[in-house]
Amino acid sequence: MNRLLVIDDDRELCALVKEFLEPEFQVDSVTRGDDGVRRAQDEEFSLIVLDVMLPGLNGFEVLRQLREGGCATPVLMLTARGDDIDRIIGLELGADDYLPKPFNPRELTARIHAILRRARFAASLPAAPREKLQCDDLELDAPARRVRCGGKTIELTTVEFDLLALLIKTPGVTVSRDDLARNALDRKWSAYDRSIDMHVSNLRKKIGPAPDGSDRIKSIRSIGYMLIKDEG
């Protein structure tokens, strides 16, 4: 059974989430950010549900410490409804997805299942036949989940890796936001969802510009993104 850690200071919400999810998941909860960091680092969880507003350490600091400490456990952040800044910061720090409060418990369950499906798929890739893809000095080893750029290893989140894997398979071809969302986030893209844009922005920063200084990933207005290949 998948084990989840809920980090939220709303005890009533924690109890409701636990009651709703426990038929499928083992749910542990803590109400302080610093306690959440310790639990996540000392114990194994399949996924962390993390609120932004917390005593001790806020959710952003919890996420930052976990990612900087090498914790790759998927994180679903709970944000204030309509607060784009919280969502953007969470994604920039390495959250896998976000869910605005208040939320429907069924949507929470659906988001958790989607994240866990991506994690299981990623974990199964090393046993697959080796597939290495390259575009200029950018190399992607799909089974090993490893990316090298200019000879240096680049650390990517699960979502960032999946986005790059889609783009590098067809350099010079536009991949729609809907295709990116379906494959990397396991859900349909909506016009008001900026998750894909933020994940692509983080990916751009990590892989840097092309050898000639130009952008590696080009935004195609109102459609999606394209990985640029040097034809020179």
Side-chain angles (χ1 to χ4, degrees):
M1 181 179 289
N2 287 302
R3 189 177 179 207
L4 309 183
L5 176 63
V6 179
I7 308 176
D8 196 310
D9 63 340
D10 186 335
R11 296 178 185 275
E12 183 176 350
L13 182 142
C14 288
L16 290 173
V17 168
K18 185 172 184 178
E19 180 180 357
F20 192 85
L21 295 178
E22 278 206 326
E24 295 185 70
F25 306 102
Q26 178 183 338
V27 182
D28 293 12
S29 64
V30 294
T31 57
R32 291 179 56 89
D34 44 2
D35 292 337
V37 171
R38 284 192 289 269
R39 291 288 299 273
Q41 290 177 334
D42 294 344
E43 304 174 41
E44 287 192 14
F45 294 95
S46 301
L47 182 140
I48 298 169
V49 178
L50 175 62
D51 189 27
V52 172
M53 302 300 294
L54 292 167
L57 295 173
N58 66 41
F60 299 134
E61 183 61 20
V62 170
L63 182 57
R64 186 188 67 78
Q65 290 192 20
L66 292 179
R67 293 299 186 243
E68 289 183 355
C71 176
T73 304
V75 172
L76 172 64
M77 290 208 77
L78 302 179
T79 66
R81 182 171 296 279
D83 196 338
D84 288 339
I85 297 300
D86 281 358
R87 303 175 194 178
I88 291 169
I89 293 174
L91 293 171
E92 287 180 336
L93 289 172
D96 292 78
D97 204 353
Y98 64 82
L99 186 63
K101 282 184 171 183
F103 53 81
N104 186 314
R106 294 183 182 276
E107 183 174 5
L108 173 65
T109 304
R111 294 289 183 96
I112 289 172
H113 279 301
I115 295 171
L116 292 177
R117 278 196 300 270
R118 296 200 305 268
R120 285 195 296 269
F121 177 73
S124 71
L125 285 177
R130 298 198 69 79
E131 179 184 15
K132 292 187 178 180
L133 301 171
Q134 184 167 353
C135 181
D136 300 328
D137 63 340
L138 186 62
E139 305 171 18
L140 182 144
D141 186 337
R145 305 286 294 183
R146 183 169 58 240
V147 172
R148 291 175 63 82
C149 186
K152 297 181 179 179
T153 299
I154 306 296
E155 298 295 333
L156 301 180
T157 66
T158 299
V159 174
E160 291 162 1
F161 184 93
D162 291 343
L163 290 173
L164 181 58
L166 290 168
L167 294 169
I168 203 171
K169 287 180 179 178
T170 55
V173 176
T174 302
V175 182
S176 71
R177 284 182 175 83
D178 189 54
D179 284 343
L180 293 171
R182 288 178 184 274
N183 285 274
L185 298 178
D186 199 19
R187 69 169 186 258
K188 292 176 62 176
W189 176 76
S190 69
Y192 300 102
D193 189 345
R194 297 190 60 197
S195 299
I196 289 296
D197 298 321
M198 289 309 308
H199 285 301
V200 170
S201 176
N202 294 340
L203 178 59
R204 278 174 166 157
K205 293 174 185 176
K206 290 183 178 181
I207 64 177
D212 65 1
S214 62
D215 288 338
R216 292 183 190 271
I217 301 176
K218 182 179 180 180
S219 175
I220 308 302
R221 185 176 178 85
S222 302
I223 301 177
Y225 293 94
M226 174 195 301
L227 184 67
I228 304 299
K229 183 176 179 62
D230 184 5
E231 302 295 342

